[in-house]
Amino acid sequence: MVLIDGKATSAKIKEEIAEEVKTLVAEGKKKPHLAAVLVGSDGASQTYVNAKVKACELVGFDSTLVRKESNITEDELLQIIDDLNTNDDIDGFIVQLPLPDHIDEHKVTMAIKPEKDVDGFHPTSLGKMLLGLPTFLPATPYGIVQLLERYGIETSGKHCVVMGRSHIV
């Protein structure tokens, strides 16, 4: 039996990304810039977004955190998304889920330009993923694939069960 060490693998991937960023900067190219939009005060969401900000710092990315209260209107959130979509300094962004009940998550997802959809939730992103075309991939399944590949675990012919399937998994 092989013990899969997710923390060690994550640290190795971050080292690899940091080296890539150093190379980009040395070549005079722009540092990647990730933005995250956090609406409300959901504890798990705050923890997740804070981890993304720290990871950006660790690998040499620029990051922007947009925090809004849970009483933000849907139109105000859509305007923030439009601003991020058109901001050439931002390479990609996430809108952290869940959102308050009065905001339509589908409408929010559809408002994010696919080329900036770091979560990979937009239908265009999902379609490209299914076709094997370059696109951002949902983090959780991609992380699992990375673990399987880096540990040389063959999946062909195997069976698995996914509990709690969602847009994220």
Side-chain angles (χ1 to χ4, degrees):
M1 179 170 80
V2 175
L3 177 63
I4 297 175
D5 188 338
K7 286 187 179 188
T9 304
S10 173
K12 176 68 175 151
I13 291 170
K14 287 174 187 165
E15 288 173 14
E16 293 167 5
I17 293 170
E19 286 302 315
E20 289 181 41
V21 172
K22 285 178 189 171
T23 300
L24 284 174
V25 172
E27 294 172 350
K29 297 178 182 168
K30 174 185 167 311
K31 274 199 237 182
H33 189 158
L34 174 71
V37 180
L38 178 61
V39 178
S41 57
D42 179 77
S45 292
Q46 288 181 14
T47 299
Y48 182 82
V49 169
N50 289 338
K52 295 299 153 229
V53 170
K54 287 178 187 173
C56 283
E57 183 179 317
L58 186 65
V59 301
F61 283 23
D62 288 330
S63 68
T64 298
L65 176 55
V66 180
R67 287 182 180 266
K68 294 295 174 183
E69 296 297 323
S70 60
N71 63 353
I72 187 174
T73 68
E74 184 174 270
D75 286 341
E76 289 169 328
L77 180 57
L78 292 172
Q79 183 58 57
I80 291 168
I81 291 168
D82 187 56
D83 292 344
L84 292 170
N85 278 333
T86 58
N87 183 338
D88 291 335
D89 187 48
I90 305 290
D91 297 297
F93 66 95
I94 65 170
V95 177
Q96 182 61 39
L97 302 178
L99 292 169
D101 290 340
H102 67 279
I103 297 177
D104 183 343
E105 287 183 9
H106 177 71
K107 191 182 279 187
V108 167
T109 298
M110 295 302 292
I112 300 170
K113 282 186 176 179
E115 59 269 21
K116 290 197 175 189
D117 175 27
V118 174
D119 276 327
F121 292 168
H122 191 282
T124 299
S125 303
L126 292 171
K128 285 182 173 183
M129 177 186 65
L130 290 173
L131 294 172
L133 299 173
T135 191
F136 288 116
L137 301 171
T140 300
Y142 185 62
I144 293 166
V145 169
Q146 282 292 303
L147 287 169
L148 293 171
E149 287 177 355
R150 287 169 182 259
Y151 278 83
I153 298 171
E154 180 58 50
T155 59
S156 180
K158 304 284 195 234
H159 299 276
C160 74
V161 175
V162 177
M163 309 261 318
R165 181 199 159 289
S166 70
H167 286 99
I168 297 168
V169 179

